[in-house]
Each structure stands twice: as structure tokens, then as C-alpha cells.
Amino acid sequence: MPSNEGLAALSRQFRVLVAGGSYGGLSAALTLLDLCGGRLARFNFTPDAKPPQNQIPIHITVVDERDGFYHLIGSPKALACDQYASKTWIRFQDIPALKTPNLKFVRGSVSSVDCQSKTAQILDLESKETTSEKYDFLIAGTGLRRVFPTVPQSLQRDEFLKEAWNHKEDIEKARDGVVIIGGGAVGVEMAAELKVLDPQRKITLVHSRDRLLSAEPLPDDFKERVYSVLKETGVEVILGQRVIDTTAVNTDAEHRAWDLTLANGTKLRAGHVMSAISKCEPTSSYLPQDALNQEGFVKIRSTLQFPSNVTNAESHFAIGDIAQWTGIKRCGAAMHMGHYAATNIHQLILAEAGLKPEFLELQEYPAVMGIALGHSAVSYSPADGTQDGEHLLKSMFGQDMGYSICWNYMRLSEPCQA
Ligand SMILES: Cc1cc2nc3c(=O)[nH]c(=O)nc-3n(C[C@H](O)[C@H](O)[C@H](O)COP(=O)(O)OP(=O)(O)OC[C@H]3O[C@@H](n4cnc5c(N)ncnc54)[C@H](O)[C@@H]3O)c2cc1C
């Protein structure tokens, strides 16, 4: 229990800036609202855990280039099915759990951060003006930059719905079928989704290596199972071949066609070609270089704090895909990191009142993966090995590519308590 002087230290308003309002950023913001409101964090399932004894005045600013929460995982389906798309992007202002005066959203881009003065420059995408935002703590959760059609490029819900609709139209008009280039996790999910949405359409997946998911640090039997389940859905899979040429042979809007040439000389005709071979880049250009590794990921400590060589490292955190950590990048990990970073910030706030902080520390994550393949799913974890089946699709992704699972886990429908 803090002393009276300690309690006085907790009466000032603490300002937290969260860059990125996706799985990681929202989990962090919600955890802070819970803890500073004197409640257990919604992600804390420890038996007998006790809520904090004090309420703490807090103001959280979440900055995101998008105008809402977008369920990124659903992209392979959202960009082919406009009905599903409209479910997967919810404007921040329409999310009950986020409606509180303690939380402000800025649709903007964090362009630089000065860790010394604890000030961020934010380009407001509505007013087009750059503003300065002072903070006590920063959480960087801006993920990776990914290209279309891996993810939509729109930043506002209305534009996104048009983007999804246009893409769906391109697929529907593809009388000569669709060719997807790249058999990583995104490519295989896209191929299976397209086949399920229209079983009559010819879908071909071309991958340059001899096994699907060749870049993933996962056992061969998992990759082979993904191959066999994908084939069962009716997708044609060509392995060990590069596409060396793509030539448009019909540019008529109602019947477009391309001829693709593979390295072995095989020709494929396609009504629509989708590339799923994009390289993803961390969005960390606004952070100091000494916080980053060579590829641009933040070198976090197990407390999620910046490396100790960075000025004021204790007040700076990184979570989710932008952080350098073990395991394959996943949304569950991003939410977990958001919970931990926010809990540690709460501990640092309590430390100002003289309490000894007790930090949560991340454990190493093993490489695990779950892939939705139409009516089935394939998963791998060191404990359970490779598995597949409809029951896995239901338990890992529910009926909607994991949208309800994520939404309910973050309890986004529950109005924010004062
Ligand atoms: C097609 C696809 C399928 C996937 N499937 C799965 C799956 O089945 N299971 C799974 O666990 N994971 C899956 N993943 C991975 C998962 O989506 C990521 O691990 C997760 O999105 C990471 O969350 P995040 O909060 O770290 O970042 P992101 O979800 O990438 O969000 C980052 C946010 O930051 C914003 N932003 C970026 N730069 C700035 C800036 N400078 N200023 C302000 N805001 C900014 C963006 O607009 C975005 O909203 C999939 C990924 C893709 C692309």
C-alpha cells in the first residue's frame, strides 16, 4: 500500500502514447484502462489474482493510420468476399470498450520519437498537420508494412470496402481462373479461401521451392500436410517452379487474361494473377536506430522495454510484430505482449509511489502455426506435433477466420467502465 506522499505522486495524470491500434496496441490500451481503473487486467487469468488497490488518472493516446481496428488475419477472405470484409473493419469510434474520455484516437502516422524529451511527432492524416505529443510512456505496436493483396492498403473503412469489392470483382471475372504466386502462409490461405468461395473456379498456386511454407522454421511433415489438405480442397499446386514471365493477352475489362511462363517452359493462362511473395518490412523508421536490429525490429528486453543503451529505455516499450522475439509472428503473441507491456507500465507508475515494481517477463515462444485451409485447418506445435481437421478450424478460427475469437478475447463489445 503506498504512503500518503506516494498516493500524492499517483494523483498526477500519466500520459501513455500507443503507436498502432491493432491486436497489440489495443490490448495494451485496454489493459491500462483496466489496471488504472482499479480492475484486474482482462487478460489476467491467474487464479487468485487481486485487482490494484488504487485508481490512477491516465490518458492514453492511440495513433493509427487506419480509422479502425482491422482483423488482419481475415485478409485472405476479406479481399475476396465483400460481405465478410464489412465485418472485419470496425471504426475505433464504434467500439464500445474504447469509448472513454481517458482514451483518444488520432488517425495519423507517428513520424518520429525523441526518447530524451519523450515527445513524438505525429502527422495527423485528417488535418495533414504535424503535431507534438508529450508522453510519460510510449508503446510501439505498429507492426510490419505489407503490400496488396497480402493486406488491403486502404486507411479508412469506406475505402477498404471499395477495395475489397473491386478485388472480388476481379476474381469473379477471371474466367480463366486465378493464379497465386507464392506458397507461404498467406498464399496457401488465399488459394484455399478462393476455392471455398467458388469451388468451380480454377485456382493454381505456384511456389518456387519444393515444399510449401519453405521459409518457415517448421517441420517438413507440417508443410507436407498443408500441401495434401490444400490439394484436397481442389487447388492445383505447382512446386519448384518460378514464374519468369507474365504477359497480358486480353485487356478487355470483362475478360482479362494473362499468360504466365514458368522456368521449365510451362505456360499457364490466368484471368487474374495474385502475388503473395511480398517481403514485409518493420514500420520502425520513427524510432531511434540504437533501439533496432539490422532488419529494423526493436531489440526488446523480456520486459518489452527498449534495450538499455537507448535514452529513457525504461519508459519505452515495443510489442507485437515490430519487436524482435522468438517464434513466428502471431496475433496471439501481439495481444500477450500488449498485456505485459501495459502491466509493466502500471508497475512503473506504482513505483513513483514508492512501491517496488514487479515486472512480467516474456518467455521464449516456440515456432507454432495454424493455417486455415477452407473447411479445414492444419496446425503445428512442439507439444502436439502436426494435426489437421475441421475441428481445428473451429477451435482456432471459429466460423469467421478468428474474427470473433480476437474480438471477444479483447472484450471489445463490453462498454468501458469508468
Ligand atoms: C494475411 C495474414 C494472415 C495472418 N494469419 C494469422 C493467423 O492465422 N494467426 C496468427 O496468429 N497470426 C496471423 N497473422 C499475423 C498477425 O496478423 C500479426 O502477427 C498481427 O497482426 C500483429 O499485430 P500487431 O498489433 O503487432 O501489428 P499489426 O496488426 O500489423 O498492426 C499495426 C498497426 O499499426 C498501424 N501503423 C503502422 N505504422 C504506423 C505509424 N507509423 N503510425 C501509426 N500507426 C501505424 C497500422 O495501421 C496497423 O493498424 C497473419 C498475417 C497476415 C498478413
Side-chain angles (χ1 to χ4, degrees):
M1 180 77 184
S3 62
N4 283 346
E5 299 87 76
L7 285 174
L10 294 186
S11 62
R12 81 173 170 96
Q13 191 175 60
F14 290 85
R15 288 158 307 173
V16 180
L17 178 62
V18 181
S22 183
Y23 306 100
L26 291 188
S27 299
L30 291 162
T31 300
L32 277 168
L33 289 174
D34 288 341
L35 293 173
C36 293
R39 299 179 297 276
L40 269 182
R42 64 194 62 209
F43 308 110
N44 183 347
F45 301 107
T46 315
D48 304 327
K50 303 240 167 6
Q53 293 183 352
N54 303 98
Q55 295 203 355
I56 297 170
I58 189 148
H59 190 270
I60 304 167
T61 302
V62 177
V63 185
D64 201 295
E65 293 171 352
R66 297 189 180 124
D67 68 359
F69 166 64
Y70 171 58
H71 180 59
L72 196 73
I73 292 174
S75 299
K77 183 166 182 178
L79 286 172
C81 173
D82 47 342
Q83 253 183 327
Y84 175 72
S86 76
K87 178 176 176 174
T88 60
W89 185 307
I90 303 90
R91 287 178 308 168
F92 293 122
Q93 67 202 57
D94 298 328
I95 300 179
L98 305 174
K99 288 185 190 173
T100 161
N102 301 338
L103 183 63
K104 176 178 88 170
F105 281 96
V106 176
R107 194 173 83 76
S109 181
V110 178
S111 45
S112 69
V113 161
D114 178 355
C115 296
Q116 173 79 47
S117 63
K118 296 195 192 173
T119 311
Q121 300 300 313
I122 299 166
L123 172 65
D124 187 314
L125 292 173
E126 301 292 341
S127 67
K128 311 286 180 228
E129 281 175 11
T130 296
T131 55
S132 289
E133 179 99 8
K134 297 272 284 171
Y135 56 82
D136 296 299
F137 299 99
L138 173 102
I139 301 179
T142 50
L144 305 177
R145 191 75 61 204
R146 297 175 164 106
V147 298
F148 183 84
T150 298
V151 298
Q153 299 299 297
S154 310
L155 299 176
Q156 288 172 282
R157 187 172 191 276
D158 293 350
E159 281 171 24
F160 161 67
L161 294 181
K162 278 187 222 143
E163 189 179 8
W165 192 86
N166 288 339
H167 194 244
K168 182 207 73 165
E169 286 282 289
D170 285 345
I171 292 166
E172 284 183 358
K173 284 182 193 159
R175 285 192 235 160
D176 296 306
V178 177
V179 171
I180 297 166
I181 305 172
V186 174
V188 296
E189 283 197 345
M190 276 178 183
E193 272 315 313
L194 294 190
K195 197 69 197 170
V196 167
L197 286 167
D198 183 355
Q200 303 311 316
R201 194 171 308 282
K202 186 175 174 201
I203 308 292
T204 309
L205 178 68
V206 183
H207 187 56
S208 59
R209 303 301 180 95
D210 292 335
R211 273 203 181 88
L212 294 173
L213 300 153
S214 46
E216 302 293 353
L218 294 166
D220 289 346
D221 78 314
F222 171 74
K223 299 173 183 179
E224 280 156 17
R225 194 81 65 91
V226 169
Y227 174 82
S228 52
V229 174
L230 190 61
K231 293 274 289 178
E232 278 163 26
T233 66
V235 172
E236 293 192 17
V237 184
I238 300 175
L239 294 175
Q241 288 301 321
R242 254 170 224 290
V243 175
I244 54 167
D245 185 59
T246 304
T247 304
V249 289
N250 192 344
T251 50
D252 170 30
E254 292 309 308
H255 184 187
R256 284 191 230 170
W258 283 264
D259 274 344
L260 283 74
T261 310
L262 306 185
N264 65 358
T266 308
K267 297 252 187 228
L268 295 177
R269 176 65 55 95
H272 187 59
V273 182
M274 291 162 69
S275 168
I277 46 176
S278 69
K279 191 170 178 321
C280 319
E281 308 262 328
T283 52
S284 54
S285 54
Y286 60 94
L287 293 173
Q289 276 300 319
D290 49 1
L292 310 179
N293 71 9
Q294 279 198 331
E295 293 165 296
F297 292 96
V298 184
K299 295 183 283 183
I300 53 165
R301 291 179 265 164
S302 58
T303 54
L304 286 310
Q305 285 162 309
F306 279 20
S308 42
N309 58 307
V310 175
T311 313
N312 286 324
E314 271 53 42
S315 317
H316 292 81
F317 293 73
I319 57 174
D321 282 5
I322 200 177
Q324 178 194 16
W325 198 250
T326 56
I328 294 170
K329 307 277 182 214
R330 291 181 313 122
C331 83
M335 293 190 278
H336 184 64
M337 289 178 169
H339 168 213
Y340 271 31
T343 304
N344 290 346
I345 289 176
H346 182 248
Q347 288 294 309
L348 286 169
I349 294 175
L350 291 177
E352 293 203 13
L355 297 184
K356 189 171 176 306
E358 288 177 19
F359 291 129
L360 292 177
E361 296 201 31
L362 274 188
Q363 304 297 309
E364 299 220 328
Y365 298 140
V368 299
M369 189 175 266
I371 301 243
L373 290 178
H375 297 301
S376 188
V378 184
S379 72
Y380 171 79
S381 71
D384 298 322
T386 296
Q387 303 184 81
D388 74 283
E390 283 178 35
H391 66 288
L392 280 180
L393 181 74
K394 201 158 169 251
S395 63
M396 289 192 303
F397 295 95
Q399 311 272 349
D400 53 12
M401 301 271 298
Y403 168 77
S404 299
I405 292 176
C406 292
W407 179 271
N408 292 337
Y409 183 67
M410 290 190 275
R411 291 169 33 190
L412 293 177
S413 289
E414 294 178 20
C416 184
Q417 294 176 45

